[in-house]
PDB file of all heavy atoms in Angstrom:
ATOM      1  N   ASP T  32     134.690 336.035   2.347  1.00  0.00           N
ATOM      2  CA  ASP T  32     134.331 335.641   3.712  1.00  0.00           C
ATOM      3  C   ASP T  32     135.073 334.351   4.082  1.00  0.00           C
ATOM      4  O   ASP T  32     134.545 333.246   3.929  1.00  0.00           O
ATOM      5  CB  ASP T  32     132.800 335.429   3.763  1.00  0.00           C
ATOM      6  CG  ASP T  32     132.343 335.037   5.154  1.00  0.00           C
ATOM      7  OD1 ASP T  32     133.119 335.214   6.118  1.00  0.00           O
ATOM      8  OD2 ASP T  32     131.196 334.547   5.253  1.00  0.00           O
ATOM      9  N   THR T  33     136.324 334.507   4.518  1.00  0.00           N
ATOM     10  CA  THR T  33     137.128 333.346   4.898  1.00  0.00           C
ATOM     11  C   THR T  33     138.050 333.720   6.051  1.00  0.00           C
ATOM     12  O   THR T  33     138.109 334.891   6.442  1.00  0.00           O
ATOM     13  CB  THR T  33     137.939 332.815   3.694  1.00  0.00           C
ATOM     14  OG1 THR T  33     138.454 331.532   4.003  1.00  0.00           O
ATOM     15  CG2 THR T  33     139.085 333.735   3.308  1.00  0.00           C
ATOM     16  N   TRP T  37     140.476 328.707   8.722  1.00  0.00           N
ATOM     17  CA  TRP T  37     139.734 327.770   7.857  1.00  0.00           C
ATOM     18  C   TRP T  37     140.638 327.248   6.747  1.00  0.00           C
ATOM     19  O   TRP T  37     140.729 326.039   6.514  1.00  0.00           O
ATOM     20  CB  TRP T  37     138.492 328.446   7.241  1.00  0.00           C
ATOM     21  CG  TRP T  37     137.567 327.462   6.555  1.00  0.00           C
ATOM     22  CD1 TRP T  37     136.466 326.878   7.098  1.00  0.00           C
ATOM     23  CD2 TRP T  37     137.697 326.922   5.226  1.00  0.00           C
ATOM     24  NE1 TRP T  37     135.900 326.009   6.186  1.00  0.00           N
ATOM     25  CE2 TRP T  37     136.626 326.009   5.025  1.00  0.00           C
ATOM     26  CE3 TRP T  37     138.602 327.102   4.188  1.00  0.00           C
ATOM     27  CZ2 TRP T  37     136.435 325.308   3.841  1.00  0.00           C
ATOM     28  CZ3 TRP T  37     138.412 326.384   2.999  1.00  0.00           C
ATOM     29  CH2 TRP T  37     137.341 325.501   2.837  1.00  0.00           C
ATOM     30  N   ARG T  41     141.717 323.324   6.614  1.00  0.00           N
ATOM     31  CA  ARG T  41     141.053 322.530   5.559  1.00  0.00           C
ATOM     32  C   ARG T  41     141.960 322.200   4.389  1.00  0.00           C
ATOM     33  O   ARG T  41     141.694 321.254   3.644  1.00  0.00           O
ATOM     34  CB  ARG T  41     139.837 323.274   5.001  1.00  0.00           C
ATOM     35  CG  ARG T  41     138.765 323.564   5.999  1.00  0.00           C
ATOM     36  CD  ARG T  41     137.981 322.304   6.337  1.00  0.00           C
ATOM     37  NE  ARG T  41     136.964 322.577   7.322  1.00  0.00           N
ATOM     38  CZ  ARG T  41     135.687 322.233   7.206  1.00  0.00           C
ATOM     39  NH1 ARG T  41     135.269 321.589   6.139  1.00  0.00           N
ATOM     40  NH2 ARG T  41     134.837 322.516   8.167  1.00  0.00           N
ATOM     41  N   THR T  42     143.012 323.024   4.162  1.00  0.00           N
ATOM     42  CA  THR T  42     143.832 322.796   2.959  1.00  0.00           C
ATOM     43  C   THR T  42     145.339 322.707   3.238  1.00  0.00           C
ATOM     44  O   THR T  42     146.068 322.112   2.444  1.00  0.00           O
ATOM     45  CB  THR T  42     143.653 323.940   1.926  1.00  0.00           C
ATOM     46  OG1 THR T  42     144.268 325.133   2.432  1.00  0.00           O
ATOM     47  CG2 THR T  42     142.194 324.217   1.635  1.00  0.00           C
ATOM     48  N   CYS T 118     145.137 318.501 -13.477  1.00  0.00           N
ATOM     49  CA  CYS T 118     146.213 318.446 -12.473  1.00  0.00           C
ATOM     50  C   CYS T 118     147.146 317.250 -12.655  1.00  0.00           C
ATOM     51  O   CYS T 118     148.227 317.213 -12.074  1.00  0.00           O
ATOM     52  CB  CYS T 118     145.631 318.429 -11.063  1.00  0.00           C
ATOM     53  SG  CYS T 118     144.824 319.974 -10.649  1.00  0.00           S
ATOM     54  N   ARG T 157     134.798 332.080  -2.558  1.00  0.00           N
ATOM     55  CA  ARG T 157     135.711 331.659  -1.486  1.00  0.00           C
ATOM     56  C   ARG T 157     136.059 330.174  -1.565  1.00  0.00           C
ATOM     57  O   ARG T 157     137.059 329.732  -1.013  1.00  0.00           O
ATOM     58  CB  ARG T 157     135.116 331.977  -0.114  1.00  0.00           C
ATOM     59  CG  ARG T 157     133.907 331.136   0.265  1.00  0.00           C
ATOM     60  CD  ARG T 157     133.456 331.427   1.686  1.00  0.00           C
ATOM     61  NE  ARG T 157     132.333 330.578   2.055  1.00  0.00           N
ATOM     62  CZ  ARG T 157     131.795 330.537   3.255  1.00  0.00           C
ATOM     63  NH1 ARG T 157     132.263 331.339   4.203  1.00  0.00           N
ATOM     64  NH2 ARG T 157     130.787 329.741   3.516  1.00  0.00           N
ATOM     65  N   GLN T 158     135.213 329.374  -2.253  1.00  0.00           N
ATOM     66  CA  GLN T 158     135.470 327.935  -2.306  1.00  0.00           C
ATOM     67  C   GLN T 158     136.650 327.586  -3.204  1.00  0.00           C
ATOM     68  O   GLN T 158     137.265 326.533  -3.036  1.00  0.00           O
ATOM     69  CB  GLN T 158     134.232 327.201  -2.829  1.00  0.00           C
ATOM     70  CG  GLN T 158     133.010 327.531  -2.027  1.00  0.00           C
ATOM     71  CD  GLN T 158     131.999 326.392  -2.083  1.00  0.00           C
ATOM     72  OE1 GLN T 158     132.362 325.241  -2.216  1.00  0.00           O
ATOM     73  NE2 GLN T 158     130.735 326.721  -1.976  1.00  0.00           N
ATOM     74  N   VAL T 161     140.829 330.424  -2.658  1.00  0.00           N
ATOM     75  CA  VAL T 161     141.850 330.242  -1.619  1.00  0.00           C
ATOM     76  C   VAL T 161     142.836 329.125  -1.986  1.00  0.00           C
ATOM     77  O   VAL T 161     143.891 328.991  -1.367  1.00  0.00           O
ATOM     78  CB  VAL T 161     141.203 329.928  -0.244  1.00  0.00           C
ATOM     79  CG1 VAL T 161     140.289 331.067   0.179  1.00  0.00           C
ATOM     80  CG2 VAL T 161     140.435 328.615  -0.250  1.00  0.00           C
ATOM     81  N   ILE T 162     142.470 328.318  -2.965  1.00  0.00           N
ATOM     82  CA  ILE T 162     143.223 327.087  -3.222  1.00  0.00           C
ATOM     83  C   ILE T 162     144.390 327.281  -4.200  1.00  0.00           C
ATOM     84  O   ILE T 162     145.465 326.717  -4.012  1.00  0.00           O
ATOM     85  CB  ILE T 162     142.272 326.007  -3.814  1.00  0.00           C
ATOM     86  CG1 ILE T 162     141.151 325.688  -2.829  1.00  0.00           C
ATOM     87  CG2 ILE T 162     143.031 324.748  -4.173  1.00  0.00           C
ATOM     88  CD1 ILE T 162     140.059 324.818  -3.435  1.00  0.00           C
ATOM     89  N   LEU T 196     134.264 319.150 -11.801  1.00  0.00           N
ATOM     90  CA  LEU T 196     135.411 320.059 -11.892  1.00  0.00           C
ATOM     91  C   LEU T 196     135.655 320.410 -13.361  1.00  0.00           C
ATOM     92  O   LEU T 196     136.105 319.558 -14.135  1.00  0.00           O
ATOM     93  CB  LEU T 196     136.651 319.358 -11.277  1.00  0.00           C
ATOM     94  CG  LEU T 196     137.982 320.098 -11.267  1.00  0.00           C
ATOM     95  CD1 LEU T 196     137.863 321.479 -10.648  1.00  0.00           C
ATOM     96  CD2 LEU T 196     139.028 319.279 -10.499  1.00  0.00           C
ATOM     97  N   GLN T 221     134.249 324.092  -9.241  1.00  0.00           N
ATOM     98  CA  GLN T 221     134.623 322.871  -8.509  1.00  0.00           C
ATOM     99  C   GLN T 221     133.626 322.577  -7.393  1.00  0.00           C
ATOM    100  O   GLN T 221     133.331 323.452  -6.577  1.00  0.00           O
ATOM    101  CB  GLN T 221     136.030 323.006  -7.907  1.00  0.00           C
ATOM    102  CG  GLN T 221     136.398 321.810  -7.020  1.00  0.00           C
ATOM    103  CD  GLN T 221     137.865 321.727  -6.644  1.00  0.00           C
ATOM    104  OE1 GLN T 221     138.653 321.039  -7.283  1.00  0.00           O
ATOM    105  NE2 GLN T 221     138.232 322.449  -5.600  1.00  0.00           N
ATOM    106  N   GLY T 223     133.788 320.893  -4.304  1.00  0.00           N
ATOM    107  CA  GLY T 223     134.922 320.464  -3.476  1.00  0.00           C
ATOM    108  C   GLY T 223     134.800 319.066  -2.908  1.00  0.00           C
ATOM    109  O   GLY T 223     135.723 318.255  -3.027  1.00  0.00           O
ATOM    110  N   GLN T 224     133.635 318.764  -2.312  1.00  0.00           N
ATOM    111  CA  GLN T 224     133.521 317.493  -1.585  1.00  0.00           C
ATOM    112  C   GLN T 224     133.628 316.244  -2.456  1.00  0.00           C
ATOM    113  O   GLN T 224     134.412 315.346  -2.135  1.00  0.00           O
ATOM    114  CB  GLN T 224     132.244 317.476  -0.763  1.00  0.00           C
ATOM    115  CG  GLN T 224     132.466 318.172   0.565  1.00  0.00           C
ATOM    116  CD  GLN T 224     131.369 317.873   1.568  1.00  0.00           C
ATOM    117  OE1 GLN T 224     130.475 317.073   1.307  1.00  0.00           O
ATOM    118  NE2 GLN T 224     131.433 318.525   2.703  1.00  0.00           N
ATOM    119  N   VAL T 226     135.040 315.991  -5.343  1.00  0.00           N
ATOM    120  CA  VAL T 226     136.409 315.932  -5.880  1.00  0.00           C
ATOM    121  C   VAL T 226     137.349 315.425  -4.789  1.00  0.00           C
ATOM    122  O   VAL T 226     138.209 314.560  -5.023  1.00  0.00           O
ATOM    123  CB  VAL T 226     136.872 317.313  -6.409  1.00  0.00           C
ATOM    124  CG1 VAL T 226     138.310 317.231  -6.911  1.00  0.00           C
ATOM    125  CG2 VAL T 226     135.957 317.794  -7.520  1.00  0.00           C
ATOM    126  N   PHE T 227     137.160 315.935  -3.570  1.00  0.00           N
ATOM    127  CA  PHE T 227     137.986 315.513  -2.439  1.00  0.00           C
ATOM    128  C   PHE T 227     137.885 314.001  -2.239  1.00  0.00           C
ATOM    129  O   PHE T 227     138.887 313.303  -2.092  1.00  0.00           O
ATOM    130  CB  PHE T 227     137.537 316.256  -1.173  1.00  0.00           C
ATOM    131  CG  PHE T 227     138.376 315.957   0.031  1.00  0.00           C
ATOM    132  CD1 PHE T 227     139.524 316.688   0.285  1.00  0.00           C
ATOM    133  CD2 PHE T 227     138.028 314.954   0.918  1.00  0.00           C
ATOM    134  CE1 PHE T 227     140.317 316.403   1.391  1.00  0.00           C
ATOM    135  CE2 PHE T 227     138.809 314.660   2.023  1.00  0.00           C
ATOM    136  CZ  PHE T 227     139.951 315.398   2.262  1.00  0.00           C
ATOM    137  N   ALA T 230     139.581 312.134  -5.020  1.00  0.00           N
ATOM    138  CA  ALA T 230     141.037 312.366  -4.985  1.00  0.00           C
ATOM    139  C   ALA T 230     141.669 311.543  -3.874  1.00  0.00           C
ATOM    140  O   ALA T 230     142.684 310.862  -4.091  1.00  0.00           O
ATOM    141  CB  ALA T 230     141.331 313.850  -4.790  1.00  0.00           C
ATOM    142  N   HIS T 258     150.850 315.430  -5.985  1.00  0.00           N
ATOM    143  CA  HIS T 258     150.224 316.677  -6.430  1.00  0.00           C
ATOM    144  C   HIS T 258     149.739 317.431  -5.192  1.00  0.00           C
ATOM    145  O   HIS T 258     149.187 316.833  -4.269  1.00  0.00           O
ATOM    146  CB  HIS T 258     149.055 316.352  -7.359  1.00  0.00           C
ATOM    147  CG  HIS T 258     148.195 317.533  -7.681  1.00  0.00           C
ATOM    148  ND1 HIS T 258     148.715 318.712  -8.179  1.00  0.00           N
ATOM    149  CD2 HIS T 258     146.852 317.728  -7.562  1.00  0.00           C
ATOM    150  CE1 HIS T 258     147.734 319.570  -8.351  1.00  0.00           C
ATOM    151  NE2 HIS T 258     146.597 319.004  -7.978  1.00  0.00           N
ATOM    152  N   ALA T 260     147.236 319.432  -3.785  1.00  0.00           N
ATOM    153  CA  ALA T 260     145.879 319.979  -3.891  1.00  0.00           C
ATOM    154  C   ALA T 260     145.306 320.267  -2.517  1.00  0.00           C
ATOM    155  O   ALA T 260     144.573 321.239  -2.335  1.00  0.00           O
ATOM    156  CB  ALA T 260     144.962 319.011  -4.634  1.00  0.00           C
ATOM    157  N   ASN T 261     145.638 319.415  -1.555  1.00  0.00           N
ATOM    158  CA  ASN T 261     145.089 319.565  -0.212  1.00  0.00           C
ATOM    159  C   ASN T 261     145.960 318.733   0.728  1.00  0.00           C
ATOM    160  O   ASN T 261     146.241 317.569   0.434  1.00  0.00           O
ATOM    161  CB  ASN T 261     143.634 319.058  -0.191  1.00  0.00           C
ATOM    162  CG  ASN T 261     142.951 319.342   1.131  1.00  0.00           C
ATOM    163  OD1 ASN T 261     143.478 319.027   2.196  1.00  0.00           O
ATOM    164  ND2 ASN T 261     141.774 319.939   1.061  1.00  0.00           N
ATOM    165  N   ARG T 263     145.299 317.311   3.402  1.00  0.00           N
ATOM    166  CA  ARG T 263     144.645 316.090   3.901  1.00  0.00           C
ATOM    167  C   ARG T 263     144.718 314.968   2.860  1.00  0.00           C
ATOM    168  O   ARG T 263     144.825 313.801   3.217  1.00  0.00           O
ATOM    169  CB  ARG T 263     143.183 316.385   4.279  1.00  0.00           C
ATOM    170  CG  ARG T 263     143.070 317.277   5.522  1.00  0.00           C
ATOM    171  CD  ARG T 263     141.628 317.593   5.849  1.00  0.00           C
ATOM    172  NE  ARG T 263     141.037 318.519   4.898  1.00  0.00           N
ATOM    173  CZ  ARG T 263     139.748 318.552   4.552  1.00  0.00           C
ATOM    174  NH1 ARG T 263     138.896 317.689   5.053  1.00  0.00           N
ATOM    175  NH2 ARG T 263     139.304 319.458   3.700  1.00  0.00           N
ATOM    176  N   ILE T 264     144.677 315.324   1.568  1.00  0.00           N
ATOM    177  CA  ILE T 264     144.804 314.303   0.502  1.00  0.00           C
ATOM    178  C   ILE T 264     146.251 313.777   0.491  1.00  0.00           C
ATOM    179  O   ILE T 264     146.489 312.574   0.349  1.00  0.00           O
ATOM    180  CB  ILE T 264     144.421 314.881  -0.881  1.00  0.00           C
ATOM    181  CG1 ILE T 264     142.984 315.424  -0.868  1.00  0.00           C
ATOM    182  CG2 ILE T 264     144.602 313.825  -1.979  1.00  0.00           C
ATOM    183  CD1 ILE T 264     142.568 316.134  -2.143  1.00  0.00           C
ATOM    184  N   ASN T 288     147.769 325.229  -4.817  1.00  0.00           N
ATOM    185  CA  ASN T 288     147.647 324.282  -5.928  1.00  0.00           C
ATOM    186  C   ASN T 288     147.968 325.004  -7.238  1.00  0.00           C
ATOM    187  O   ASN T 288     147.157 325.789  -7.732  1.00  0.00           O
ATOM    188  CB  ASN T 288     146.216 323.716  -5.943  1.00  0.00           C
ATOM    189  CG  ASN T 288     146.008 322.669  -7.027  1.00  0.00           C
ATOM    190  OD1 ASN T 288     146.862 322.493  -7.904  1.00  0.00           O
ATOM    191  ND2 ASN T 288     144.881 321.991  -6.979  1.00  0.00           N
ATOM    192  N   PHE T 316     146.155 313.688  -9.002  1.00  0.00           N
ATOM    193  CA  PHE T 316     144.724 313.509  -9.285  1.00  0.00           C
ATOM    194  C   PHE T 316     144.202 314.849  -9.784  1.00  0.00           C
ATOM    195  O   PHE T 316     144.563 315.896  -9.246  1.00  0.00           O
ATOM    196  CB  PHE T 316     143.962 313.113  -8.010  1.00  0.00           C
ATOM    197  CG  PHE T 316     142.494 312.901  -8.276  1.00  0.00           C
ATOM    198  CD1 PHE T 316     142.026 311.643  -8.618  1.00  0.00           C
ATOM    199  CD2 PHE T 316     141.592 313.960  -8.237  1.00  0.00           C
ATOM    200  CE1 PHE T 316     140.676 311.437  -8.898  1.00  0.00           C
ATOM    201  CE2 PHE T 316     140.244 313.768  -8.518  1.00  0.00           C
ATOM    202  CZ  PHE T 316     139.784 312.500  -8.850  1.00  0.00           C
ATOM    203  N   GLY T 317     143.337 314.832 -10.803  1.00  0.00           N
ATOM    204  CA  GLY T 317     142.832 316.110 -11.290  1.00  0.00           C
ATOM    205  C   GLY T 317     141.550 316.001 -12.078  1.00  0.00           C
ATOM    206  O   GLY T 317     140.974 314.919 -12.228  1.00  0.00           O
TER     207      GLY T 317
HETATM  208  O1  UT7 E  13     143.766 319.648  -7.891  1.00  0.00           O
HETATM  209  C1  UT7 E  13     142.635 319.159  -8.539  1.00  0.00           C
HETATM  210  C2  UT7 E  13     141.766 318.372  -7.675  1.00  0.00           C
HETATM  211  N1  UT7 E  13     141.186 319.185  -6.639  1.00  0.00           N
HETATM  212  C3  UT7 E  13     141.190 318.772  -5.389  1.00  0.00           C
HETATM  213  O2  UT7 E  13     141.759 317.738  -5.090  1.00  0.00           O
HETATM  214  C4  UT7 E  13     140.411 319.555  -4.366  1.00  0.00           C
HETATM  215  C5  UT7 E  13     139.593 318.630  -3.496  1.00  0.00           C
HETATM  216  N2  UT7 E  13     138.720 319.317  -2.563  1.00  0.00           N
HETATM  217  C6  UT7 E  13     139.201 319.956  -1.470  1.00  0.00           C
HETATM  218  O3  UT7 E  13     140.387 320.079  -1.277  1.00  0.00           O
HETATM  219  C7  UT7 E  13     138.196 320.447  -0.444  1.00  0.00           C
HETATM  220  O4  UT7 E  13     136.934 319.899  -0.734  1.00  0.00           O
HETATM  221  C8  UT7 E  13     138.081 322.005  -0.366  1.00  0.00           C
HETATM  222  C9  UT7 E  13     139.360 322.570   0.213  1.00  0.00           C
HETATM  223  C10 UT7 E  13     137.823 322.585  -1.754  1.00  0.00           C
HETATM  224  C11 UT7 E  13     136.926 322.377   0.571  1.00  0.00           C
HETATM  225  O5  UT7 E  13     137.116 321.784   1.851  1.00  0.00           O
HETATM  226  P1  UT7 E  13     135.951 320.929   2.539  1.00  0.00           P
HETATM  227  O6  UT7 E  13     136.453 320.512   3.850  1.00  0.00           O
HETATM  228  O7  UT7 E  13     135.520 319.869   1.571  1.00  0.00           O
HETATM  229  O8  UT7 E  13     134.827 322.013   2.730  1.00  0.00           O
HETATM  230  P2  UT7 E  13     133.313 321.988   2.207  1.00  0.00           P
HETATM  231  O9  UT7 E  13     133.261 322.288   0.758  1.00  0.00           O
HETATM  232  O10 UT7 E  13     132.644 320.752   2.710  1.00  0.00           O
HETATM  233  O11 UT7 E  13     132.704 323.215   2.993  1.00  0.00           O
HETATM  234  C12 UT7 E  13     132.554 323.181   4.436  1.00  0.00           C
HETATM  235  C13 UT7 E  13     132.056 324.532   4.868  1.00  0.00           C
HETATM  236  C14 UT7 E  13     130.833 325.022   4.077  1.00  0.00           C
HETATM  237  O12 UT7 E  13     129.989 325.743   4.966  1.00  0.00           O
HETATM  238  P3  UT7 E  13     128.676 325.055   5.592  1.00  0.00           P
HETATM  239  O13 UT7 E  13     127.834 324.652   4.432  1.00  0.00           O
HETATM  240  O14 UT7 E  13     129.180 323.887   6.394  1.00  0.00           O
HETATM  241  O15 UT7 E  13     128.097 326.155   6.428  1.00  0.00           O
HETATM  242  C15 UT7 E  13     131.430 325.987   3.089  1.00  0.00           C
HETATM  243  O16 UT7 E  13     130.530 326.955   2.652  1.00  0.00           O
HETATM  244  O17 UT7 E  13     133.068 325.514   4.672  1.00  0.00           O
HETATM  245  C16 UT7 E  13     132.542 326.604   3.902  1.00  0.00           C
HETATM  246  N3  UT7 E  13     133.623 327.156   3.107  1.00  0.00           N
HETATM  247  C17 UT7 E  13     134.457 328.086   3.570  1.00  0.00           C
HETATM  248  N4  UT7 E  13     134.523 328.724   4.755  1.00  0.00           N
HETATM  249  C18 UT7 E  13     135.509 329.609   4.923  1.00  0.00           C
HETATM  250  C19 UT7 E  13     133.993 326.827   1.829  1.00  0.00           C
HETATM  251  N5  UT7 E  13     135.063 327.551   1.471  1.00  0.00           N
HETATM  252  C20 UT7 E  13     135.366 328.349   2.534  1.00  0.00           C
HETATM  253  C21 UT7 E  13     136.373 329.308   2.765  1.00  0.00           C
HETATM  254  N6  UT7 E  13     136.401 329.903   3.980  1.00  0.00           N
HETATM  255  N7  UT7 E  13     137.314 329.617   1.853  1.00  0.00           N
END
Side-chain angles (χ1 to χ4, degrees):
D32 181 16
T33 193
W37 190 96
R41 299 285 179 129
T42 70
C118 293
R157 69 175 182 175
Q158 305 207 30
V161 300
I162 299 170
L196 179 53
Q221 174 167 265
Q224 276 195 5
V226 178
F227 184 87
H258 170 53
N261 187 309
R263 291 178 288 150
I264 302 174
N288 183 349
F316 181 91

